[in-house]
């Protein structure tokens, strides 16, 4: 992994490592200069009582000069590390998000949103967090080697004494990091728990309020908060114990060196200046050893992050495109032949974490389709009707190739969707989902999505979607920024903008998947009537619940258990198919439903 | 984790926030003098080694040869001091961690409980995420900062202080030299710090934007795919990623230059000390050992300044987080429980009275009392007889949901008053109110847990048999049987494992077991399949029997079956009476009814 980091950010690392080496070298030189200044400048001058101005100036220049080089080294090292770290982050963010755009929707469905978000953000970040201390660690290795050599050359005996502290320090560090990691992981879990409880509790605020359960909620929260507190105190305890030990060890080493060094000076094996150098160098080594500890401590986190990033980069599955083009005009001819498809949501790749039953568009009921065959002649409007779980939304998604069918095929103008060129289908077909998704951009941009359309066309589409009125009342009209996911708009307004987005492209196939469910009923009927009166050059397939919408279709496909059970006009089906009749009239007179017991009427 | 870029420029200084914060968490002051004393001892320890070196060189290795006895004494003494200061520093760390974590844990719970008393929690769903960060990431930041940054700040200033004292003790002349040479460094530090703060602010904003764009890509994947706008999305992503990189490198550049400048200033001070030291040494004022000790002490001087600048940066986040927590605590609970001074609702069915009630929502940042938003309800005056069934109808934004929330005291009116069974609603103890008045929200509002858990929230003492009986009485036994684990079926996060209609079934059962005298229902708006629809109706029939019921109706059938219909339009009640009468009157109700009949077959709504 460090290899990958080094490979993908060669330049910055070269800068960082060069800076680090310069810094390390100059640290050693600085201590030599200090020692020399003590022995050759300070002591003789003070002893002789005569100031040798020239020598003094040389010493001062040396000190400042060496420090300047050291500063250059430090800036190079840190800057290199920063550039490396952030360029790696951005490189891999780009690669991960490119994969997101490439991988099929089926893959997206298998992964919780939160996981994908953290892959691109937190995981990439932690994977390359090691990049920061890397140049310093490499410099530190050299520094330790340098210093070691120098100390040994000056006085091997004293060096041995001093370095005896090293292994102790390394061991303490290793032990500390190990204990710390498990304590920190436990605390992290407790923190996640706190966040989860707070989320759930605030989300359910209304019920909690109506049931008067605030105090019980606070009690439950107190328990997890106190659990977190205890675990954080444990982390603090560990640090409280180890930090001073790690700080004290080098000091003890220096004191030992002083004591033994004094003996050596007495024996004439060492000068006083050498001893000063020694003490200074010794302090230099203490810091790098800590950096190593830090690097090692970060590594496990980085490896986990990298693994998660790599899983996205190596995810398989892609949607291949053909190179056929369709030359048709006006409404498209759509055909589905024995199409079968099972949603992959039940098979989770991620085994950890709670499995939430539903991530599919139809909620828990989505079970895919078993064998759906139909054809929609060009320019017709067809309604897909069926109970929850009958496969309506699945068919809608298959028509615009969000998924590929497991069996059978879907074709547009006699081209299998799989054979169409990459952008060919999106040029010809548009879908509007029930859950209208808006980007954090202006209303106009949300409608055009970068398509080459004029503002007149945008307004025209908005009028057709009955959105023009409220858009004009927004602060900046069509240039109003809608906020993250359209937070400033109501659900019905979002749906109408999403509808305009589809209409502005004048699609030859328009798929409406319960696209106006949040719109006031009177507005909805206006929209649908407007659509049919506009005589769009489109084939329209709509998933609908309300009789008013269904009645507008030329033909109705009644879906049951993943297959087309019956087709015909609304009136025909009402008359001939009991299941259909029950379904579409269920909302009208609920109490009179065949199964309801008399007297049950509300 | 959370980007808080939206926070406006702070109106109060960081120091003011910290003072306010500490006064709200007095636990933070527990044992503070002791901790500070320990900090002083711990940092004093950092001067020990330079002193020992000085003593050894000056006295031990003086002209008279090597004085081993003295050196042994010095080293032994210093060793003891090192151990003692290590102990002091460990003890200080431990005390700090305990005090900080205890105080913050209490602050967390305090804020959590307080937020539940703010009506904004359920009024503004989009703010919920940020309210969660008030009790999670914001407080985590404070904890991290206090234990890392706060500690460093204490020890750094201690170090600065001790180093200065020691230096003065050695030689006031040399100390002056060092201090003088450090003036430009402190000025430079200030210069860097201002730029670093600004640079990191930009980084934070860019991270927020990056997170937003990535979230769009992930959540909006079906739209991106279906509309073939991958390239456009990629351009947006790349721009956000690149902006973040550039700003982060820029901030890193400032930080790198700053640490480089520390080296240079340190060296300037060393050179100055050497020159002046030699000059003084020649004059006989100080010894060479003093000069050498100074060269060591100077490093003690540079680090704290570098660290302080870094800490102040990190501190920005923490202080901003702390301020946000304090600000939320400052919002007075707008719907307060009268507590022991309150009254209980008299037993028996509950009638309702509204006396010239008006309501307006507060703008963002306003408390309920200062509300200056648009008026959503005005001049509502009515009485509803006990045990009657009332349907409330109206277009989106007509005020019908506000009416329901006032009725259950999820909010208080801005004008007028509301009576339940003759008692002003704000005089009723919550204990009594929440037991007797139950609201069933539209989406059911379930918690992750089993169906049984969710229903038991309505009546915690319910036995398993009673629970099953409740479902049987509501005609839901067959539905429960179809579920994989029956009553133990987990509903998933926010009930996501169930369909919308099924969620409401659970909510109805929950209301049923709490046996209220006034039931306020918000009908489900999304379409449900017929089987669930039928069960809903069946359960509703059982539930509403013999209780005063107010239903926000989205179905024609509900309005038809009600004893009385209230028609809301633009915040007023414009019509009231039984369905047949209203239908004959025409008016707003006639229009609503016609559009129901024309456009739909009942299940519909409005957002």
């Amino acid at each position: 992994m460090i290899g990958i980091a080094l490979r993908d950010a060669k330049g910055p690392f070269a800068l960082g490592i060069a800076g680090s080496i310069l810094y390390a070298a100059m640290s050693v030189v600085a201590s030599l200069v200090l020692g020399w200044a003590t022995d050759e400048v300070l002591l003789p001058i003070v002893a002789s009582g005569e100031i040798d101005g020239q020598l003094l100036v040389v010493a001062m220049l040396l000190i400042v000069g060496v420090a300047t080089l050291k500063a250059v080294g430090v800036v190079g090292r840190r800057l290199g590390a920063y550039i490396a770290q952030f360029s790696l982050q951005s490189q891999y963010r780009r690669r991960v998000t490119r994969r997101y755009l490439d991988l099929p929707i089926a893959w997206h469905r298998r992964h919780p949103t939160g996981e994908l978000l953290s892959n691109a953000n937190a995981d990439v970040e932690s994977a390359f967090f090691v990049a920061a201390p890397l140049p310093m660690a490499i410099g530190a290795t050299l520094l330790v080697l340098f210093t070691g050599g120098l100390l040994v050359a000056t006085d091997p005996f004293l060096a041995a004494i001093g370095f005896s502290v090293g292994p102790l320090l390394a061991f303490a560090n290793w032990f500390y990091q190990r204990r710390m990691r498990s304590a920190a992981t436990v605390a992290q879990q407790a923190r996640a728990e706190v966040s989860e409880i707070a989320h759930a509790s605030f989300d359910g605020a209304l019920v909690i309020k109506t049931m008067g359960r605030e105090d019980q909620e606070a009690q439950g929260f107190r328990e997890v908060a106190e659990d977190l507190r205890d675990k954080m105190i444990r982390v603090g305890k560990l640090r409280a114990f180890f930090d001073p030990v790690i700080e004290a060890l080098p000091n003890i080493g220096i004191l030992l060196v002083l004591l033994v060094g004094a003996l050596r000076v007495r024996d004439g094996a060492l000068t006083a200046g050498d001893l000063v150098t020694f003490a200074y160098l010794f302090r230099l080594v203490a810091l790098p050893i800590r950096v190593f500890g830090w690097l090692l401590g970060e590594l496990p986190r980085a490896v986990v992050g990298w693994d998660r990033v790599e899983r996205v980069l190596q995810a398989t599955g892609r949607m291949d495109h053909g190179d056929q083009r369709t030359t048709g005009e006006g409404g498209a001819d759509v055909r589905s032949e024995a199409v079968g498809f099972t949603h992959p949501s039940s098979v989770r790749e991620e085994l950890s974490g709670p499995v939430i039953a539903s991530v599919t568009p139809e909620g828990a009921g989505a079970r895919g389709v078993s064998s759906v065959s139909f054809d929609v002649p060009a320019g017709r409007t067809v309604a897909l009707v069926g109970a929850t779980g009958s496969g309506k939304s699945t068919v809608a998604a298959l028509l615009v190739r969000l998924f590929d069918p497991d069996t059978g095929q879907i074709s547009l103008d006699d081209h299998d969707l799989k054979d169409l060129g990459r952008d060919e289908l999106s040029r010809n077909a548009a879908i509007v989902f029930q859950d209208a998704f808006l980007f954090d951009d202006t209303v106009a941009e949300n409608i055009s999505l970068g398509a080459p359309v004029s503002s007149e066309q945008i307004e025209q589409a908005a009028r057709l979607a009955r959105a023009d009125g409220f858009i004009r009342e927004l602060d900046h009209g069509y240039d109003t920024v809608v906020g993250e996911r359209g937070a400033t708009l109501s659900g019905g307004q979002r749906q109408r903008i999403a509808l305009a987005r589809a209409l502005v492209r004048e699609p030859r196939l328009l798929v409406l998947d319960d696209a106006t469910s949040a719109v006031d009923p009177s507005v909805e009927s206006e929209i649908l009537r407007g659509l049919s009166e506009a005589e769009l050059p489109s084939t329209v397939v709509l998933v609908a619940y309300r009789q008013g919408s269904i009645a507008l279709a030329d033909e109705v496909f009644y879906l049951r258990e993943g297959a087309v059970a019956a087709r015909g006009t609304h009136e025909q089906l009402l008359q001939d198919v009991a299941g259909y009749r029950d379904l579409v009239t269920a909302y009208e007179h609920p109490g009179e439903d065949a199964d309801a017991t008399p007297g049950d009427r509300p | 984790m959370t980007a808080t870029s939206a926070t406006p420029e702070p109106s109060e200084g960081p120091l003011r926030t910290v003072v306010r914060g500490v006064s709200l968490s007095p636990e933070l002051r527990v044992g503070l003098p002791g901790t500070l004393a320990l900090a002083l001892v711990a940092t004093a320890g950092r001067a020990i080694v330079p002193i020992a070196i000085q003593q050894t060189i000056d006295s031990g290795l003086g002209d008279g040869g090597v004085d081993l006895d003295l050196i042994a004494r010095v080293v032994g003494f210093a060793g003891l001091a090192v151990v003692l200061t290590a102990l002091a520093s460990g003890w200080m760390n431990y005390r700090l961690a305990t005090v900080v974590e205890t105080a913050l844990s209490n602050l967390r719970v305090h804020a959590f409980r307080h937020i539940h008393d703010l009506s904004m929690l359920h009024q503004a769903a989009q703010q919920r995420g940020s309210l969660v960060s008030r009790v999670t990431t914001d407080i985590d930041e404070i904890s991290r900062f206090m234990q890392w940054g706060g500690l460093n700040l204490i020890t750094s200033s201690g170090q600065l202080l001790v180093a200065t004292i020691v230096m003065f003790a050695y030689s006031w002349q040399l100390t002056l030299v060092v201090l003088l040479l450090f003036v430009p460094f402190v000025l430079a530090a200030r210069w860097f710090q201002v730029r670093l703060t600004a640079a990191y602010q930009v980084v934070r904003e860019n991270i927020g934007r990056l997170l937003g764009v990535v979230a769009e890509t992930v959540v909006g994947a079906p739209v991106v795919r279906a509309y073939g706008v991958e390239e456009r999305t990629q351009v947006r992503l790349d721009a956000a990623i690149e902006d973040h990189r550039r700003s982060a490198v820029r901030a890193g550049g400032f930080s790198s230059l700053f640490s480089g400048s520390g080296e240079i200033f340190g060296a300037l001070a060393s050179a100055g000390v050497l020159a002046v030291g030699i000059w003084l040494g020649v004059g006989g004022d100080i010894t060479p050992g003093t000069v050498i000790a100074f060269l060591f002490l100077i490093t003690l001087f540079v680090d704290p300044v570098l660290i302080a600048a870094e800490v102040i940066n990190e501190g920005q986040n923490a202080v901003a987080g702390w301020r946000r927590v304090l600000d939320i605590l400052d919002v007075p609970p707008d719907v307060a429980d009268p507590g022991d001074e309150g009254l209980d609702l008299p037993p028996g069915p509950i009638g309702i009275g509204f006396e010239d009630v008006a309501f307006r929502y507060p703008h963002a940042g306003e408390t309920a009392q200062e509300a200056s938003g648009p008026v959503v309800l005005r001049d509502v005056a009515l009485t509803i007889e006990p045990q009657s069934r009332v349907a409330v109808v109206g277009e989106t934004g007509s005020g019908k949901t506000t009416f329901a929330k006032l009725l259950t005291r999820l909010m208080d009116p801005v004008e007028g008053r509301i009576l339940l069974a003759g008692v002003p609603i704000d005089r009723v103890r919550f204990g009594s109110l929440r037991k007797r008045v139950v609201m069933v929200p539209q989406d059911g509002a379930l918690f992750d847990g089993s169906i049984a858990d969710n229903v038991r929230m309505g009546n915690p003492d319910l036995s398993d048999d009673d629970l099953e009986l409740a479902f049987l009485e509501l005609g839901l036994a067959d539905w429960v049987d179809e579920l994989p684990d029956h009553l133990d079926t987990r509903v998933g996060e926010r009930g996501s494992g169930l369909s919308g209609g099924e969620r409401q079934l659970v909510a109805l059962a929950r209301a049923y077991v709490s046996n209220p005298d006034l039931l306020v229902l918000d009908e489900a708006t999304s379409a449900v399949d017929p089987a669930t629809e039928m069960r809903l109706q069946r359960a509703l029939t059982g539930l509403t029997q013999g209780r005063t019921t107010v239903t926000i109706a989205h179905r024609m059938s509900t309005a038809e079956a009600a004893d009385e219909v209230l028609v809301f339009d633009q915040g007023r009640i414009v019509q009231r009476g039984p369905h047949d009468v209203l239908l004959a009157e025409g008016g707003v109700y006639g229009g609503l009814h016609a559009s129901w009949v024309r456009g739909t077959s009942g299940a519909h709504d409005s957002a």
Side-chain angles (χ1 to χ4, degrees), chain B residues 50 141 156 263 449 460:
Chain B
E141 284 274 352
S156 293
E263 291 289 345

Side-chain angles (χ1 to χ4, degrees), chain A residues 72-381:
Chain A
V72 170
V74 116
V75 172
R77 183 192 79 204
R78 296 195 53 179
L79 197 59
Y82 277 124
I83 297 177
Q85 185 186 354
F86 294 120
S87 94
L88 284 167
Q89 272 187 22
S90 69
Q91 267 180 49
Y92 277 84
R93 282 210 171 105
R94 273 199 288 272
R95 284 164 77 164
V96 166
T97 50
R98 283 220 178 359
R99 291 300 292 151
Y100 287 171
L101 290 170
D102 255 11
L103 285 162
I105 296 293
W107 183 87
H108 279 262
R109 286 276 155 76
R110 283 199 303 271
H111 296 84
T113 308
E115 189 185 318
L116 297 186
L117 290 182
S118 87
N119 284 158
N121 298 311
D123 292 338
V124 167
E125 202 175 297
S126 56
F128 297 110
F129 215 66
V130 279
L134 200 55
M136 185 157 181
I138 290 173
T141 317
L142 294 172
L143 181 63
V144 171
L145 290 177
F146 255 176
T147 321
L150 211 64
L151 289 180
V152 171
T154 320
D155 185 352
F157 180 67
L158 197 52
I161 301 249
F163 274 115
S164 65
V165 181
L168 264 179
L169 198 56
F171 175 74
N173 225 319
W174 169 81
F175 193 67
Y176 174 42
Q177 297 289 352
R178 218 180 51 135
R179 295 286 299 274
M180 194 62 170
R181 199 174 315 142
S182 71
T185 311
V186 171
Q188 194 55 36
Q189 279 160 359
R191 186 171 289 132
E193 182 99 350
V194 166
S195 163
E196 219 167 276
I197 299 264
H199 259 293
S201 180
F202 287 175
D203 266 340
L206 197 62
V207 188
I208 288 164
K209 200 89 217 167
T210 52
M211 304 232 159
R213 285 180 47 90
E214 298 96 327
D215 287 333
Q216 286 100 312
E217 284 295 308
Q219 191 47 42
F221 186 75
R222 177 179 289 281
E223 276 163 29
V224 289
E226 287 181 351
D227 181 48
L228 172 61
R229 178 198 64 195
D230 295 343
K231 283 168 178 160
M232 285 303 289
I233 290 179
R234 222 175 77 77
V235 167
K237 230 187 208 166
L238 268 178
R239 196 175 33 225
F241 181 70
F242 278 100
D243 267 2
V245 168
I246 286 168
E247 198 163 329
L249 276 177
N251 281 338
I252 303 235
I254 293 181
L255 292 176
L256 272 179
V257 164
L258 270 186
L259 188 62
V260 180
L263 278 171
R264 305 281 291 169
V265 173
R266 186 194 59 180
D267 298 348
L270 207 66
T271 67
D274 281 343
L275 190 53
V276 173
T277 312
F278 229 104
Y280 185 87
L281 283 178
F282 212 81
R283 285 163 63 90
L284 281 184
V285 184
L287 181 68
I289 290 179
R290 299 211 63 179
V291 171
F292 262 121
W294 197 52
L295 184 67
L296 291 177
E298 282 298 324
L299 263 182
R301 207 161 75 97
V303 169
V304 171
W306 173 249
D307 284 348
R308 290 168 59 106
V309 168
E310 211 176 24
R311 222 166 36 202
V312 177
L313 295 181
Q314 291 177 349
T316 50
R318 51 172 294 172
M319 205 166 246
D320 288 314
H321 298 274
D323 51 8
Q324 290 183 10
R325 301 177 62 84
T326 166
T327 50
E329 283 188 18
D333 204 9
V334 180
R335 182 173 310 143
S336 165
E337 289 167 55
V339 164
F341 177 75
T342 310
H343 280 282
S345 64
S346 51
V347 204
R348 279 293 173 95
E349 283 178 356
E350 180 74 326
L351 291 175
S352 60
V355 175
I356 298 159
S358 104
V359 283
T360 49
E362 294 196 277
R367 281 151 210 140
V369 291
S370 50
S371 175
V372 172
S373 299
F374 60 75
D375 58 293
V376 187
R380 300 266 277 186
T381 296

Side-chain angles (χ1 to χ4, degrees), chain A residues 78 209 431 440 445 519 587, chain B residues 216 227 232 434 528 605:
Chain A
R78 296 195 53 179
K209 200 89 217 167
I431 184 168
D440 185 7
E445 275 292 311
V519 177
Y587 317 124
Chain B
E216 274 185 358
Y227 284 76
R232 181 176 185 273
R434 302 301 178 212
V528 281
D605 168 68

Side-chain angles (χ1 to χ4, degrees), chain B residues 72-387:
Chain B
R73 260 205 317 278
V74 166
V75 168
F77 205 70
L80 193 67
V82 165
V83 170
L84 282 179
T85 52
L87 285 176
S89 128
W91 193 14
M92 170 195 68
N93 285 350
Y94 176 59
R95 285 173 69 125
L96 196 66
T98 312
V99 164
V100 165
E101 289 301 331
T102 308
L104 291 184
S105 169
N106 291 341
L107 180 66
R108 220 188 270 274
V109 177
H110 181 46
F112 177 89
R113 181 66 187 83
H114 181 79
I115 288 171
H116 266 298
D117 276 345
L118 302 178
S119 56
M120 70 165 90
L121 182 59
H122 46 84
Q123 277 172 18
Q126 68 274 15
Q127 283 184 16
R128 247 173 239 155
S130 76
L131 289 174
V132 169
S133 29
R134 288 308 90 83
V135 297
T136 54
T137 48
D138 282 345
I139 290 184
D140 294 339
E141 284 274 352
I142 309 173
S143 147
R144 196 172 315 141
F145 171 70
M146 283 198 176
Q147 290 189 50
W148 172 82
L151 185 70
N152 266 317
L153 217 52
I154 293 179
T155 49
S156 293
S157 23
Q159 186 172 326
L160 214 55
L161 188 71
V162 169
T164 313
I165 292 172
V166 173
M167 287 188 345
F168 260 108
Y170 272 125
S171 154
W172 62 267
Q173 299 100 323
L174 282 185
T175 310
L176 276 185
V177 172
V178 173
L179 289 181
L180 267 175
L181 284 170
F182 265 92
V183 170
F185 179 49
V186 171
L187 291 178
R190 181 78 201 130
W191 188 87
F192 271 113
Q193 206 253 310
V194 168
R195 267 143 202 85
L196 272 170
T197 304
Y200 277 115
Q201 180 62 30
V202 176
V203 174
R204 279 194 291 272
E205 278 161 20
N206 283 336
I207 285 180
R209 232 160 41 79
L210 176 64
L211 287 174
V213 181
V214 172
E216 274 185 358
T217 311
V218 170
V219 180
V223 173
V224 170
R225 200 57 52 89
Y227 284 76
V229 288
E230 285 93 344
E231 247 168 69
R232 181 176 185 273
T233 314
Q234 215 159 69
V235 169
R236 284 164 69 98
L237 273 167
D238 287 355
I241 291 171
E242 178 57 18
D243 283 351
H244 170 250
R245 190 196 64 82
R246 202 175 310 130
S247 59
V249 168
R250 197 180 123 84
F254 275 120
S255 160
S256 307
L257 281 176
F258 182 41
S259 48
S261 77
E263 291 289 345
I264 293 179
F265 279 109
L268 284 177
S270 299
V273 164
L274 187 67
V276 179
I278 284 176
W279 183 63
L280 289 171
V282 170
D285 291 331
I286 56 173
T287 62
T290 305
V291 180
I292 294 167
F294 255 83
L295 294 181
F296 275 95
L297 285 168
I298 284 169
T299 56
L300 291 184
F301 231 80
V302 180
D303 289 348
V305 182
L306 287 177
I307 288 173
E310 197 103 357
V311 166
I312 289 170
N313 264 323
E314 292 281 325
Q316 309 280 339
N317 279 334
V319 171
W322 208 353
R323 183 180 302 126
R324 285 192 295 270
V325 176
L326 297 175
D327 285 349
I328 202 88
L329 286 174
D330 276 351
V331 179
D334 42 1
V335 184
D337 185 353
D340 294 338
E341 293 167 20
L343 306 168
D344 283 352
L345 285 170
I350 294 175
I352 302 165
F354 270 60
E355 295 177 353
D356 299 320
V357 168
F359 184 80
R360 41 172 51 189
Y361 278 103
H363 278 123
E366 280 179 346
T367 63
Q369 284 81 12
E370 327 166 325
S372 69
V375 177
V376 288
L377 210 61
R378 70 184 88 201
D379 306 333
V380 176
L382 56 81
T383 46
I384 291 173
E385 294 303 316
Q387 289 186 309

